[in-house]
Amino acid sequence: MSRASRRQFIGASATTAAALALTRRSLAQDPLAAIRDEVRETHDEGVGRLQDWVRLPSIAAESRAMNEGCEYMMELARDAGFENVTRVDTKGHPSVFATLDAGAPRTVGLYFMSDVKQADPAEWSSPPFEARMVDKPGLGRVVMGRGAVNQKGPEAALLTALHAIRGAGGKVPVNLVLIAESEEEIGSPNFRDAVLKPEVRAALSKCMGIFMPSAAQDPDGGVTLSLGAKGVVELELVASGERWGRGPKKDVHSANRAWLDSPAFHLVQALNTLVTADGDPAIDGFADRARPVSAQEKAMLDEAVKRRSEATYKKMLSAEHWAHDLPFRPALERLMSAPTVNIEGLVAGYTGPGGKTMLPTRAVAKLDLRLVPDMTYDGAIRALRAHLDARGFEDVEVNPSGGYNPTSTSPDAAVIRAQVAVYERLGLDPLLWPRSAGSYPGCVFTDEPLKLPSGHFGLGHGSGAHAPDEYFVVESENPNVAGWDGAVMSYVEYLHELATIS
Amino acid sequence: MSRASRRQFIGASATTAAALALTRRSLAQDPLAAIRDEVRETHDEGVGRLQDWVRLPSIAAESRAMNEGCEYMMELARDAGFENVTRVDTKGHPSVFATLDAGAPRTVGLYFMSDVKQADPAEWSSPPFEARMVDKPGLGRVVMGRGAVNQKGPEAALLTALHAIRGAGGKVPVNLVLIAESEEEIGSPNFRDAVLKPEVRAALSKCMGIFMPSAAQDPDGGVTLSLGAKGVVELELVASGERWGRGPKKDVHSANRAWLDSPAFHLVQALNTLVTADGDPAIDGFADRARPVSAQEKAMLDEAVKRRSEATYKKMLSAEHWAHDLPFRPALERLMSAPTVNIEGLVAGYTGPGGKTMLPTRAVAKLDLRLVPDMTYDGAIRALRAHLDARGFEDVEVNPSGGYNPTSTSPDAAVIRAQVAVYERLGLDPLLWPRSAGSYPGCVFTDEPLKLPSGHFGLGHGSGAHAPDEYFVVESENPNVAGWDGAVMSYVEYLHELATIS
């Protein structure tokens, strides 16, 4: 059933609607209860909203369905009640800017991404773009598909919250400014430009803060409230006979290795200098500006280690040992505070089955570097370039494809305090977490000129971002983990809290 | 026109044939001239034989058309006059064994390969499996396609020589034993087994020697007569979280790099130990048994450097500098005498366009190692394993996929002296070359138990083996370079020389 026909079906079920109306709480009696009823009644429609969205994957890395994804994002926003929904063209793929004027005193920003990571169907147990309902033992029923948790699931839950408020006859308690980009998964190369367009910047500057919908619960139900994120640089290192002036300038038979240098080994040698024997970053000056872990952050980590399960993390990651064989507490500290140099991919010469006796002229390493405050995107690239130059790798190309600075928000910001208040009211004791080890372009909001507090919020659980079998829990077996309705309601509660927090 | 219809067409052209008959030399008058006339008359049929063969690519690395290729090889042999043509099954893909009993006193072995390297059509200027006639400035008309020179062109030319001898009414002057494998391009993993089958071994043991048809001329027309070839090991080095017990055992989000080790960097670190800073082999004990360059070999190199053009080699290879910035003479010596460690390919994690922030659990390097006498295939693998083990890379898998020992034949062997005699009679001054830098499984013949002299022979020029735009010259612009007819005739002359050389 399409989204439209599902809506018609629900609209046309007069008898069902009438029957339900008898048991519904009125908005005047108990606003949240009335909205909760509406969420429950429109459960299938809400989950369908997520499933349909997963079935239209926009993949920036492959320039796949970018216009369709933009149109779809605009339609989702309009359906949810946004009035001014416009496409923001950039040098790359477009963003969507939308506002919802509820006539409220306060305005809150929403940061969405409409794109997803690539997915290789061969690696999935359920087709990545079919968004099937799958039973996951111990978790319950999940929607499995690319983008289920990163980030369409939480975003669709937030949109469903807006539908539910309206459906229950209410009004959104704050004005909303939505900015949705479509290049998050390639490092948001043009998002800053979109955010700083005069009309977008003007709208965002009225916001008390901004947040991205997120499934904050781990598989045990614990909630983590992140106060920032590492920055990231995505780049390709390229060694080639053409640039090196050594080895062949085209692929040749590998017999010639005896008298020709190998650009692929040149790349290996360059890569080898980027990490210590233990695999830690060894790029000169890379982490000079890395801020030491503060006493407040250490206290958060001390709390975290008591409340998080090392075994759960290891199981989720299929890992036996942390780097350096660290115990859990220092490993957690590294997760939050260590800059990293990672190989995302290696490509050179013949990559198919078996072998091929060739001497390739070109070799590529896809890297990501993660940055902590006060490291910067530009500084990391400069350090890498200088490091390679100092070691005779002047010819090795450093081709950044995207990324951004780290981002931090104070725990005292209203958007953060409102999160804590909601979680606590729902009986959860959120864990304050200094910094996500992953990245999001929050710096676009937290850096000059906007300097907005920025965060992630939302109940629910999912996993598998950037990996096969990504999922988002819809019917939860664990009472401590929110399913779809709980995730939706968490946004309803948060918006109300933002409207009133002092 | 198919091969069959082309034959019918030529056979049916009674008036043309009658007209030609008037100008033909009889076999009794001048046997070679009569065969030469036949070669000229059947030129299109001969070239068509090559083109049709290129259009049926058997690619062992992809298990592509292996049965069809075997059937085709058998048909080619039967058409050329072989009587006993049998398929030799192996653990891998089949070989073809065939004999031609000419009632001659002497028997000569023929080594063919029926498979070709992979080809990516996107990299070719002419479709690799269409065998189009292409104009190549400075060279003439060429057949362009995968296998054109490696090895279908020379092999088809030899078969055409047998057709021509018969077509002129003559008899092949030696008995022939053909062994054609179909896994040369994956390192001949099962060829020794095929050669040592009792009936094959028995037939080969009657041979005075064996040779593979080959386009021995460089673009300037110079002829190189190679007295052996390096050995080779093709293998994959694999680092994985599974085997290492560190890092993730599945692909995970690259944010986890902060607390998880990277199998891809582990592979890079292992690879880095395999070569010196200059890229030379650094595997412990790898080249301990490498035989020093002999005085006879040095004399051959001294001759070679006078007669070969460094500029031509550099142009062919799109290279500016030899390894170590060596001058031509020592670079040539390296080409012939240096064991090598080469990266054929690198594959890890995300290999598509753009980036993908993942921490891959597995990384693969496809390597080839080239061996000189008296290094051995088994010894090289043992040395590599021990080298890795000694450096903490016990977990890195060494997965050989094929290869063999080096091979050497004395310049005093009759099959070699016959080559020199033919080349000299044709006005060419062949350059004796101690050892090809590429590899072929000649050791199967030259090692125990057969201990047959083994070589390559043939006029003609081609290039692009294992690379895009592979070609074989059919109509030569350069009078010093044989075209198709000259290549065919070189085999006729060689077979006659083998029949009579003292």
Side-chain angles (χ1 to χ4, degrees):
Chain A
M1 209 184 301
S2 73
R3 288 170 58 237
S5 60
R6 190 179 293 109
R7 274 202 302 279
Q8 284 159 4
F9 170 76
I10 290 164
S13 294
T15 48
T16 313
L20 283 165
L22 295 176
T23 62
R24 281 180 64 150
R25 273 73 57 102
S26 80
L27 201 72
Q29 285 172 321
D30 184 344
L32 283 179
I35 297 167
R36 191 172 297 116
D37 290 341
E38 175 73 13
V39 170
R40 198 177 299 122
E41 285 164 31
T42 60
H43 174 88
D44 290 348
E45 182 181 359
V47 174
R49 183 172 290 121
L50 165 58
Q51 290 175 298
D52 289 339
W53 199 4
V54 170
R55 288 168 192 146
L56 182 83
S58 297
I59 301 178
E62 299 171 352
S63 292
R64 174 172 171 179
M66 300 310 294
N67 278 319
E68 297 85 335
C70 178
E71 290 296 325
Y72 204 86
M73 182 70 247
M74 293 172 77
E75 190 192 339
L76 284 170
R78 280 188 215 102
D79 285 356
F82 286 86
E83 302 115 14
N84 292 304
V85 180
T86 58
R87 173 183 168 121
V88 182
D89 283 310
T90 69
K91 278 180 294 179
H93 299 297
S95 291
V96 170
F97 167 56
T99 55
L100 186 161
D101 183 356
R106 291 183 180 170
T107 302
V108 171
L110 286 174
Y111 166 49
F112 273 33
M113 55 188 278
S114 60
D115 61 320
V116 297
K117 267 286 163 202
Q118 304 93 306
D120 177 358
E123 299 174 345
W124 288 61
S125 66
S126 173
F129 305 123
E130 291 189 9
R132 290 186 191 165
M133 296 291 297
V134 171
D135 279 313
K136 249 186 121 64
L139 292 170
R141 298 275 286 169
V142 307
V143 168
M144 185 170 283
R146 175 55 83 224
V149 65
N150 176 209
Q151 200 76 332
K152 288 177 173 175
E155 290 169 351
L158 182 133
L159 294 172
T160 301
L162 304 183
H163 280 270
I165 293 169
R166 189 175 52 182
K171 279 180 77 175
V172 182
V174 290
N175 310 314
L176 294 173
V177 176
L178 169 69
I179 181 77
E181 71 159 318
S182 63
E183 297 181 321
E184 203 277 346
E185 294 295 8
I186 58 169
S188 306
N190 303 291
F191 187 49
R192 187 178 167 81
D193 289 349
V195 164
L196 296 187
K197 296 254 177 184
E199 66 279 17
V200 182
R201 176 176 169 178
L204 285 171
S205 65
K206 292 181 196 137
C207 294
M208 62 190 290
I210 189 163
F211 74 99
M212 171 173 252
S214 175
Q217 292 190 284
D218 67 27
D220 301 325
V223 164
T224 297
L225 197 165
S226 195
L227 296 170
K230 290 185 187 174
V232 68
V233 182
E234 281 201 90
L235 63 94
E236 287 189 346
L237 279 196
V238 184
S240 66
E242 193 62 48
R243 281 283 297 263
W244 193 16
R246 307 196 62 82
K249 290 186 170 47
K250 63 179 182 185
D251 293 345
V252 299
H253 192 289
S254 67
N256 295 292
R257 181 69 180 89
W259 62 354
L260 289 179
D261 294 304
S262 160
F265 263 118
H266 191 54
L267 180 73
V268 163
Q269 292 175 325
L271 284 171
N272 190 63
T273 70
L274 302 185
V275 296
T276 65
D278 286 334
D280 293 330
I283 301 168
D284 300 336
F286 175 61
D288 284 357
R289 292 181 59 186
R291 193 195 288 169
V293 181
S294 70
Q296 189 183 38
E297 287 167 342
K298 282 186 185 287
M300 292 181 197
L301 290 163
D302 290 339
E303 182 65 18
V305 76
K306 283 185 243 163
R307 295 173 49 187
R308 290 288 171 268
S309 157
E310 179 174 21
T312 301
Y313 279 110
K314 284 191 169 170
K315 192 173 163 211
M316 257 171 70
L317 296 169
S318 293
E320 287 171 26
H321 301 279
W322 304 122
H324 296 272
D325 291 311
L326 288 175
F328 190 42
R329 169 64 180 75
L332 269 183
E333 184 163 326
R334 272 183 66 95
L335 179 65
M336 181 281 288
S337 65
T340 62
V341 178
N342 177 56
I343 295 176
E344 298 177 348
L346 291 173
V347 199
Y350 178 67
T351 58
K356 186 174 175 188
T357 47
M358 64 185 284
L359 166 51
T361 182
R362 191 168 187 274
V364 178
K366 295 169 187 279
L367 301 185
D368 61 54
L369 317 178
R370 301 268 173 189
L371 319 176
V372 300
D374 295 313
M375 295 166 73
T376 63
Y377 175 84
D378 292 336
I381 294 169
R382 270 198 309 272
L384 175 58
R385 181 70 273 164
H387 173 96
L388 292 171
D389 291 350
R391 284 164 180 76
F393 298 107
E394 297 92 341
D395 59 288
V396 173
E397 294 170 62
V398 174
N399 297 332
S401 59
Y404 29 78
N405 293 340
T407 181
S408 286
T409 289
S410 163
D412 302 325
V415 291
I416 303 299
R417 287 185 292 110
Q419 293 189 10
V420 175
V422 171
Y423 287 137
E424 289 182 344
R425 195 158 62 233
L426 293 170
L428 295 159
D429 184 10
L431 180 69
L432 285 184
W433 182 249
R435 180 180 308 119
S436 165
S439 302
Y440 88 104
C443 62
V444 168
F445 310 117
T446 59
D447 283 358
E448 295 283 358
L450 287 169
K451 304 217 95 185
L452 283 183
S454 174
H456 286 71
F457 174 83
L459 286 194
H461 168 69
S463 190
H466 300 202
D469 287 355
E470 181 178 351
Y471 67 86
F472 185 64
V473 174
V474 166
E475 318 287 349
S476 176
E477 279 181 15
N478 181 342
N480 296 324
V481 174
W484 177 260
D485 293 357
V488 173
M489 278 309 296
S490 73
Y491 297 110
V492 174
E493 302 234 5
Y494 185 44
L495 295 175
H496 279 89
E497 187 67 32
L498 286 166
T500 53
I501 194 167
S502 58
Chain B
M1 211 185 301
S2 74
R3 286 169 59 236
S5 60
R6 191 178 294 109
R7 273 201 302 278
Q8 284 159 4
F9 169 76
I10 290 164
S13 296
T15 48
T16 313
L20 283 166
L22 295 177
T23 62
R24 280 182 65 153
R25 274 75 57 103
S26 79
L27 201 70
Q29 287 172 317
D30 183 344
L32 283 179
I35 297 168
R36 194 172 295 117
D37 289 342
E38 175 74 12
V39 170
R40 199 176 299 122
E41 285 164 30
T42 59
H43 174 89
D44 289 350
E45 183 181 0
V47 174
R49 185 171 289 122
L50 165 58
Q51 290 176 297
D52 289 340
W53 200 4
V54 170
R55 289 168 192 146
L56 183 81
S58 297
I59 301 177
E62 299 171 352
S63 292
R64 174 171 172 179
M66 299 311 294
N67 278 319
E68 296 86 337
C70 178
E71 290 295 325
Y72 204 85
M73 182 69 247
M74 293 171 77
E75 190 192 339
L76 284 170
R78 280 189 214 103
D79 285 355
F82 287 85
E83 302 115 12
N84 293 304
V85 180
T86 57
R87 174 182 166 124
V88 182
D89 283 309
T90 69
K91 278 179 295 177
H93 299 297
S95 290
V96 171
F97 167 56
T99 55
L100 186 161
D101 182 357
R106 292 183 181 172
T107 302
V108 172
L110 286 174
Y111 165 49
F112 273 33
M113 55 188 278
S114 60
D115 61 320
V116 297
K117 267 286 162 200
Q118 305 94 305
D120 176 358
E123 298 173 346
W124 289 61
S125 67
S126 173
F129 305 122
E130 292 189 9
R132 292 188 189 163
M133 297 290 296
V134 171
D135 280 313
K136 249 186 119 66
L139 292 170
R141 298 274 285 169
V142 305
V143 168
M144 185 169 284
R146 173 55 83 226
V149 67
N150 175 209
Q151 201 73 340
K152 288 177 173 175
E155 291 170 351
L158 182 133
L159 294 173
T160 300
L162 303 182
H163 281 269
I165 292 170
R166 188 176 51 183
K171 279 181 77 174
V172 182
V174 291
N175 310 314
L176 295 173
V177 176
L178 169 68
I179 181 75
E181 71 161 319
S182 62
E183 296 182 321
E184 203 276 347
E185 295 294 8
I186 58 168
S188 305
N190 303 292
F191 187 49
R192 188 177 167 81
D193 289 349
V195 164
L196 295 185
K197 296 255 177 188
E199 67 279 17
V200 183
R201 177 177 167 178
L204 286 171
S205 65
K206 293 182 197 137
C207 294
M208 62 190 290
I210 188 163
F211 75 98
M212 172 175 249
S214 175
Q217 293 191 281
D218 67 26
D220 301 325
V223 164
T224 297
L225 197 165
S226 194
L227 296 170
K230 291 184 187 176
V232 67
V233 182
E234 283 201 89
L235 63 94
E236 287 189 346
L237 280 196
V238 184
S240 65
E242 192 62 48
R243 282 283 297 263
W244 192 17
R246 307 197 62 82
K249 290 186 171 45
K250 64 180 182 185
D251 293 344
V252 298
H253 192 289
S254 67
N256 294 293
R257 181 70 179 92
W259 62 354
L260 289 180
D261 293 305
S262 160
F265 262 117
H266 192 52
L267 179 73
V268 163
Q269 292 175 325
L271 284 171
N272 189 64
T273 70
L274 302 185
V275 295
T276 65
D278 286 332
D280 292 331
I283 301 168
D284 299 338
F286 175 60
D288 284 357
R289 293 182 58 186
R291 193 195 290 170
V293 180
S294 71
Q296 190 183 37
E297 289 168 340
K298 281 186 186 289
M300 292 182 198
L301 290 163
D302 290 340
E303 183 65 19
V305 76
K306 282 185 244 160
R307 296 174 48 188
R308 290 288 172 267
S309 157
E310 178 173 21
T312 301
Y313 279 110
K314 284 191 169 170
K315 191 172 164 212
M316 257 172 70
L317 297 168
S318 293
E320 287 172 26
H321 301 278
W322 305 123
H324 296 273
D325 290 312
L326 288 176
F328 191 40
R329 168 65 180 77
L332 269 182
E333 184 164 327
R334 273 182 66 95
L335 179 64
M336 182 279 290
S337 66
T340 61
V341 178
N342 177 55
I343 294 176
E344 300 178 347
L346 292 172
V347 199
Y350 178 67
T351 59
K356 186 173 173 187
T357 46
M358 63 184 286
L359 166 51
T361 182
R362 191 167 187 275
V364 178
K366 294 168 188 280
L367 301 185
D368 61 55
L369 317 178
R370 302 268 171 188
L371 318 175
V372 301
D374 297 316
M375 297 165 71
T376 64
Y377 175 85
D378 292 337
I381 294 169
R382 270 198 309 273
L384 176 59
R385 181 71 272 161
H387 172 96
L388 292 171
D389 291 351
R391 283 163 181 76
F393 299 107
E394 297 92 341
D395 60 287
V396 174
E397 294 170 62
V398 174
N399 297 331
S401 60
Y404 30 79
N405 293 340
T407 182
S408 285
T409 287
S410 163
D412 302 325
V415 291
I416 303 298
R417 287 185 293 111
Q419 294 189 10
V420 174
V422 172
Y423 287 137
E424 288 183 344
R425 196 158 60 235
L426 292 172
L428 295 159
D429 184 11
L431 180 69
L432 285 184
W433 182 248
R435 181 181 307 118
S436 164
S439 302
Y440 88 105
C443 61
V444 169
F445 311 117
T446 59
D447 283 359
E448 297 282 0
L450 287 169
K451 302 218 100 187
L452 282 183
S454 174
H456 286 71
F457 174 84
L459 287 193
H461 168 70
S463 189
H466 300 201
D469 286 354
E470 181 177 350
Y471 67 87
F472 184 63
V473 173
V474 166
E475 318 287 351
S476 177
E477 280 180 16
N478 181 341
N480 297 323
V481 175
W484 177 261
D485 293 357
V488 173
M489 278 309 297
S490 73
Y491 297 111
V492 174
E493 302 234 5
Y494 185 43
L495 294 175
H496 280 90
E497 187 66 31
L498 286 167
T500 54
I501 194 165
S502 58

